[in-house]
Amino acid sequence: MNLILLGPPGTGKGTQARLIADRLGALHVATGDLFRNAVKQGSELGARAKEYMDRGELVPDDVTIDMLFDRIDQPDAQSGVIFDGFPRTLQQAEALDKALAGKGKAVDAALHITVPDDEIVRRLSGRWLCPDCGAIYQEQTQPPIKAQLCDDCGNELQQRDDDRPAVVRARLEKQRPPTEMLDYYRGQNRLVDIDGAQAPDDVTRDLLAEIERATTRISN
Ligand code: AP5
């Protein structure tokens, strides 16, 4: 299956994409992670993306689309992808449909996670990540067993540069899924709204139920 997780920053897309990809045996592809890796490697793409990420803005479509397509052309992406943070514009959505159609595939469901803004700000101010395995923690609600250390690999946890309150506010202002993109998926009966303000397990349960529904619809 090819599924996309949509939603403003901090709604739990990364948390849920990791779980669902594991459950379905699909590849988790997060454009934010691809950009952060490019920044870490000191590449030209990373330097260009960083300017936008530091301001809480979207990286331009042409750069983002090329980078994503390079990733999904690789062999490990051929049996299904959970797209996390892509698409974010109508142009990206249309480009993805075209690319998948060229491979005889399609987006099976667009899962749109929503959470009130004050809860998003609270979550992001306490988010910690493992720089090695990508595990995601939240200091109040999902803390690691040992303070500052990853439960899975023992590495020291880090905070993201763009989780500073001023950048979070900019991201919330500039990075909500645009109505025209939501309407695009809604018009094709592929959009499903998910209440992301519930406990993580309940969000996973609702996502898996909707994925099951999409699978049944496709096979009929
Ligand atoms: P990206 O990394 O995609 O950031 P984002 O969309 O802002 O999303 P986040 O990673 O902040 O949040 P999330 O929804 O994954 O939430 P998480 O699971 O971590 O993008 C970074 C930047 O790259 C962008 O700003 C942009 O510049 C650029 N970019 C990326 N994609 C692009 C694109 N397609 N086009 C152009 N530019 C692009 O959860 C957040 C916190 O909440 C965690 O601490 C977690 O533990 C906690 N949490 C999760 N679920 C729950 C729950 N149910 N209850 C309580 N706490 C929870």
Side-chain angles (χ1 to χ4, degrees), residues 26-107:
L27 181 72
H28 171 204
V29 174
T31 36
D33 289 345
L34 296 178
F35 283 133
R36 280 183 289 278
N37 287 340
V39 172
K40 222 187 271 174
Q41 285 160 7
S43 68
E44 201 179 307
L45 167 72
R48 184 151 181 225
K50 191 171 184 323
E51 287 174 36
Y52 294 92
M53 293 165 81
D54 285 349
R55 292 197 298 261
E57 291 173 8
L58 290 179
V59 179
D61 281 341
D62 54 342
V63 179
T64 307
I65 290 169
D66 285 352
M67 176 187 69
L68 190 269
F69 286 3
D70 279 352
R71 182 65 190 91
I72 64 170
D73 277 344
Q74 291 172 28
D76 59 351
Q78 303 320 306
S79 55
V81 175
I82 310 297
F83 293 92
D84 161 9
F86 186 97
R88 297 203 196 199
T89 64
L90 180 59
Q91 193 188 339
Q92 292 181 12
E94 289 173 340
L96 180 61
D97 274 346
K98 206 166 156 200
L100 290 177
K103 299 170 191 270
K105 299 175 185 167
V107 169

Side-chain angles (χ1 to χ4, degrees), residues 8-15 31-32 35-36 53 57-59 64 85-86 88 92 119 123-124 127 136-138 141-142 160 162 171 175 196 198-200 203:
T11 45
K13 302 181 296 295
T15 301
T31 36
F35 283 133
R36 280 183 289 278
M53 293 165 81
E57 291 173 8
L58 290 179
V59 179
T64 307
F86 186 97
R88 297 203 196 199
Q92 292 181 12
E119 168 66 3
R123 286 183 185 181
L124 292 184
R127 172 164 62 179
I136 305 171
Y137 299 89
Q138 212 290 336
T141 51
Q142 296 152 280
R160 269 172 47 176
D162 60 353
R171 286 160 62 203
Q175 297 198 28
Q198 311 173 81
V203 180

Side-chain angles (χ1 to χ4, degrees), residues 116-150:
D117 282 3
D118 50 358
E119 168 66 3
I120 290 177
V121 173
R122 189 197 66 73
R123 286 183 185 181
L124 292 184
S125 64
R127 172 164 62 179
W128 290 85
L129 300 169
C130 175
D132 200 45
C133 71
I136 305 171
Y137 299 89
Q138 212 290 336
E139 61 193 27
Q140 286 97 32
T141 51
Q142 296 152 280
I145 297 166
K146 285 190 192 158
Q148 310 288 316
L149 297 180
C150 179

